Amino acid sequence: MKEALDPLTGPTITPSAQVSIIVIAFNDAGHVCDAVRSALAQGPPGETVTEVIAVNDASTDGTGAALDALAHGEPRLRVIHRDTNSGGCGTPRNDGLRAATGRFVMFLDSDDVLPPGAARALLAAAGEHDAPVAAGACVRRELPAHRDVPWQPGLYRETAVHSSPEAAPQLVRDTLCVNKLYERAFLDKHAITFPEGRFTYEDFVFTARVLAAAPRLVTIPDQVYIWHVRRSAARQSISLDRNDVANWQARIAAHRAGVQIFLDAGHKALAHAAATKFLDHDLRMYVRELHTRGADYRAEWWRLTRDYLAGFDETDLRAARAPARWLARVVLASPAPRDLERLTQLAARPGRLLPPYAEAGGRAVWSADLPEVVLDAMGTKPMHRLPVTIDAEPSPGGPGVLRLRVHDLYGRLAASGPESIDIELRRRRDDRRGPVHTAALTPAPAAGGSQACWTAEVVLDLAALADRGGRHCADPEPWDLMAQVRCADGAGFRASLRALGPGLRRQVLPSRRHAVLLVQPYATTGGALSLRVASGLRSVWRIAARRLRG
């Protein structure tokens, strides 16, 4: 390993410039300079950031040359070139930690950026509250749509000071290492580093080691990290590359290591919170995608998951949200994969429980042949948290026509008397609200006559979707649909729509403003109904060209 700049010639630490920002990169020449520039832009030279350390993990695509060129004439940027690729993110981060000279350190990945003022906000919070660890809000930015999705927003709604993580076990839900500022003396005192080598989800272990050391910790609502999500990239990030079951195996291993760290440190509450988080977040996320995998993947995933869940305590299962613990219990009860569509729909957010709705001994159960999987809390959950299923079938013969069916859940909806339904459209990239369509609900016999349901039909104003943006949308733009059901007793709930039927196909419609409008109803990974909308003649030619190339 060699450095482009001698560390002895690095900048002098001043009282105001106290932060070292460590950027790691491997074969990311197209993005790494943006990441480094965002770190260098955390205030004028000499303020807040004393140095940026870029660790090039033996890249072969010009990443190293790009960093060296950027370092020319920038005394705060130090470039470390590794001679061999480490195979992971932990080793280069550890290299940066050993080279850092600032009182505090932050971490940044080469394909992400720090928003202006991030380091200053974290440093100010750490100083004001005498905390060796400060954490701030992170957003996942979906590219190229530039849609921001908050990461663990419940932890960052307001400034909070925690005397130790044991007093706030919910902190284990944020496993990221990049939206935080750490005092180097604290890390050194407790010998906290990342796992070395080819260790996937190394931040799970690092974060567990940090929390197990029981620091005073401050969280702030300021946005301090922008996590770029490029789903169409040729090389997916670790968090998105889930096509191989080895990814799930690595996630289980990292989670197991984190739980053991908490137990070894005597933090049973943190270990319990980590187990609950695994059920609510990790398990639910992977189950949502399970129906898209091949038979071999499903069988191995099921075996790995069943073996791991067998070690969970009943208290861990009960502490998880109802959809998550129901999913876990189905996996534990069945030796082989089953009911994949029902599991996928239930794992969605919000979850949908598909019929049939079985009972055993007067209790709601998963199915007649799995009566041991009790759907506890079905009779006590508030209406707005019930996993109600609303089927939405686009009509093949009529553009924008949706046939809706609201399924009852063990008599809970029938007791409230559903009367009307609003269908609301929201543009995904900015959550902008589109048209709202209202229809009356009519009681109807369900398939097989076993459960009550209500039906309605709405006609969507599709032309209004193109007009809302104020511009042509030549590339298809996603719109999500949500339902709001109102009941006679004043109760109500929101739910997504389950996509059904042969009407999930592209439709070409005339448009007075844009000449032509293309609308594609489709099912998301979680089975919800969404629309892709494109307008203008150019969109027709683009899509036709893509189909010809394909």
Side-chain angles (χ1 to χ4, degrees):
M1 186 169 61
K2 55 183 181 297
E3 294 202 38
L5 295 178
D6 189 329
L8 295 179
T9 65
T12 301
I13 303 174
T14 64
S16 58
Q18 303 182 71
V19 182
S20 297
I21 300 178
I22 298 166
V23 185
I24 61 170
F26 171 66
N27 284 356
D28 201 11
H31 303 121
V32 67
C33 289
D34 288 339
V36 171
R37 289 190 188 101
S38 76
L40 291 168
Q42 296 296 305
E47 294 185 15
T48 310
V49 175
T50 185
E51 63 186 354
V52 175
I53 302 173
V55 184
N56 168 31
D57 197 6
S59 298
T60 59
D61 71 337
T63 293
L67 288 172
D68 287 341
L70 194 60
H72 183 72
E74 175 49 77
R76 288 185 300 159
L77 176 58
R78 299 165 56 195
V79 182
I80 297 175
H81 296 283
R82 289 186 50 80
D83 296 322
T84 57
N85 180 258
S86 67
C89 297
T91 296
R93 286 198 182 120
N94 287 338
D95 290 341
L97 270 176
R98 285 187 288 268
T101 60
R103 179 184 171 189
F104 294 91
V105 294
M106 293 175 64
F107 300 102
L108 173 61
D109 289 345
S110 61
D111 53 350
D112 300 329
V113 293
L114 299 176
R120 184 180 300 172
L122 289 170
L123 184 61
E128 179 181 354
H129 301 287
D130 191 25
V133 180
C138 166
V139 294
R140 288 167 52 96
R141 177 164 294 169
E142 299 271 356
L143 296 176
H146 283 267
R147 175 183 180 236
D148 287 349
V149 180
W151 168 258
Q152 299 293 339
L155 299 177
Y156 298 103
R157 291 197 173 98
E158 59 186 9
T159 298
V161 182
H162 309 284
S163 57
S164 77
E166 189 85 359
Q170 68 272 18
L171 292 172
V172 304
R173 291 182 172 267
D174 184 2
T175 52
L176 299 182
C177 69
V178 290
N179 60 331
K180 300 174 181 68
L181 176 93
Y182 309 90
E183 187 175 44
R184 276 201 311 121
F186 163 77
L187 298 178
D188 291 343
K189 177 182 178 181
H190 298 280
I192 297 173
T193 60
F194 291 89
E196 292 278 349
R198 196 177 296 277
F199 191 101
T200 310
Y201 299 110
E202 76 295 329
D203 46 354
F204 284 28
V205 174
F206 181 84
T207 300
R209 289 170 175 169
V210 169
L211 297 179
R216 182 178 175 85
L217 191 149
V218 57
T219 56
I220 60 176
D222 306 61
Q223 186 182 117
V224 301
Y225 199 85
I226 299 176
W227 175 1
H228 287 150
V229 179
R230 298 178 173 89
R231 299 187 188 278
S232 59
R235 183 171 63 91
Q236 290 289 339
S237 65
I238 289 174
S239 60
L240 293 179
D241 189 12
R242 298 193 289 266
N243 292 324
D244 193 315
V245 75
N247 177 278
W248 179 238
Q249 188 172 21
R251 197 176 189 103
I252 288 176
H255 183 266
R256 179 186 282 116
V259 169
Q260 193 61 50
I261 288 168
F262 293 139
L263 292 175
D264 290 345
H267 296 307
K268 292 185 178 180
L270 295 182
H272 171 66
T276 304
K277 174 261 178 186
F278 179 85
L279 298 171
D280 284 336
H281 178 72
D282 305 62
L283 177 67
R284 201 165 172 178
M285 176 171 59
Y286 281 74
V287 168
R288 213 162 39 236
E289 301 170 347
L290 199 55
H291 69 295
T292 67
R293 311 304 187 197
D296 291 344
Y297 177 105
R298 295 173 186 173
E300 181 62 8
W301 184 94
W302 199 274
R303 183 191 68 79
L304 290 168
T305 307
R306 201 160 181 255
D307 288 349
Y308 189 44
L309 293 180
F312 280 49
D313 292 335
E314 177 63 22
T315 55
D316 297 331
L317 292 175
R318 288 191 173 276
R321 297 182 179 93
R325 64 175 178 262
W326 298 343
L327 296 171
R329 284 173 172 153
V330 171
V331 174
L332 284 168
S334 175
R338 57 168 289 161
D339 302 335
L340 294 184
E341 184 181 7
R342 293 189 81 203
L343 292 171
T344 295
Q345 297 280 342
L346 186 59
R349 296 186 185 276
R352 298 176 291 274
L353 180 63
L354 303 187
Y357 303 122
E359 294 186 70
R363 300 185 302 177
V365 298
W366 179 256
S367 62
D369 62 331
L370 281 185
E372 66 270 35
V373 180
V374 177
L375 306 182
D376 55 321
M378 184 61 75
T380 57
K381 287 174 73 69
M383 177 74 76
H384 68 277
R385 293 193 178 278
L386 287 174
V388 175
T389 294
I390 303 177
D391 294 335
E393 184 173 353
S395 172
V401 177
L402 286 183
R403 299 183 182 124
L404 306 172
R405 181 179 292 266
V406 181
H407 294 269
D408 194 11
L409 264 181
Y410 299 98
R412 290 293 308 276
L413 272 67
S416 294
E419 289 187 327
S420 66
I421 185 169
D422 294 340
I423 302 299
E424 176 185 292
L425 293 98
R426 286 189 177 270
R427 191 167 58 190
R428 188 177 298 170
R429 65 179 163 92
D430 56 6
D431 205 33
R432 182 171 180 175
R433 190 179 185 185
V436 177
H437 306 81
T438 302
L441 287 168
T442 303
S450 60
Q451 197 81 21
C453 67
W454 298 262
T455 62
E457 186 172 281
V458 298
V459 181
L460 304 179
D461 184 5
L462 298 176
L465 299 183
D467 295 341
R468 293 278 167 151
R471 60 176 175 83
H472 287 287
C473 47
D475 290 320
E477 190 161 51
W479 289 76
D480 295 319
L481 287 78
M482 289 294 295
Q484 174 77 42
V485 174
R486 293 184 172 83
C487 302
D489 66 355
F493 60 90
R494 285 174 60 83
S496 57
L497 304 177
R498 177 193 179 204
L500 283 182
L504 298 176
R505 56 184 177 81
R506 183 180 295 120
Q507 299 175 349
V508 181
L509 309 175
S511 170
R512 183 173 300 176
R513 180 174 180 180
H514 301 295
V516 68
L517 189 70
L518 272 69
V519 180
Q520 170 74 69
Y522 71 100
T524 66
T525 301
L529 178 65
S530 290
L531 303 175
R532 293 189 185 98
V533 179
S535 61
L537 292 173
R538 191 174 69 173
S539 63
V540 176
W541 291 113
R542 278 193 180 186
I543 292 171
R546 287 174 190 161
R547 294 188 68 177
L548 288 173
R549 286 196 300 267

